[in-house]
Amino acid sequence: MDIRPIRSDEDHAAALEEIERLWGADPDTADGARLEILMMLVDAYEEANHPIPPSDPISAIEFMMDQRGLSRHDLEPMIGSRARVAEILNRKRALTLPMIRRLSEGLHIPVDILVRDYPVQRAA
């Protein structure tokens, strides 16, 4: 089994091609073991060289709404009136601690994501 560290984007691309070739291999075979090792190497390389920035609270809420097929109306019990939901999702008003608690529980979003700073367009 000739597996080497991934040190460049070229190595990364070659590893991805090999993963695609091995996809679906039985885990109890040499190809399955090779696939698992390559996936770990690719994951480590991507984490170190192409990190995904953490989601801001509003993006996380919108993602969960999309995943669950929810509308803005469905957020009213967690955020408040229709106008308040619009202000929050349009980034005109910041989330409050009670909103964060209800959204975390209702949408299953970790609190540490909901308490992150994000841009809010305050009225002049």
Side-chain angles (χ1 to χ4, degrees):
M1 187 180 295
D2 181 33
I3 295 181
R4 296 174 294 124
I6 299 174
R7 295 193 174 111
S8 67
D9 285 342
E10 291 78 25
D11 292 343
H12 178 255
L16 290 175
E17 285 179 20
E18 183 68 0
I19 286 171
E20 187 173 331
R21 185 185 76 73
L22 295 170
W23 197 254
D26 186 339
D28 296 328
T29 64
D31 281 348
R34 182 178 176 81
L35 174 62
E36 185 176 352
I37 292 167
L38 283 170
M39 288 173 47
M40 287 189 280
L41 289 171
V42 165
D43 187 48
Y45 179 81
E46 288 174 350
E47 180 125 352
N49 294 283
H50 303 287
I52 298 172
S55 179
D56 75 38
I58 304 308
S59 296
I61 292 167
E62 290 170 339
F63 175 79
M64 290 306 288
M65 289 173 63
D66 182 56
Q67 291 297 300
R68 295 168 182 253
L70 301 175
S71 68
R72 288 180 171 216
H73 176 74
D74 297 316
L75 296 181
E76 290 177 18
M78 294 171 257
I79 294 177
S81 68
R82 181 174 26 167
R84 182 60 40 95
V85 170
E87 289 174 333
I88 295 294
L89 294 181
N90 292 330
R91 300 171 187 266
K92 304 258 187 229
R93 180 182 293 270
L95 290 167
T96 65
L97 188 55
M99 288 176 197
I100 289 169
R101 288 182 180 134
R102 290 188 298 264
L103 286 163
S104 177
E105 185 176 319
L107 297 179
H108 304 287
I109 300 172
V111 170
D112 63 315
I113 292 174
L114 293 173
V115 297
R116 290 188 180 135
D117 285 332
Y118 64 96
V120 176
Q121 303 166 355
R122 303 259 184 215

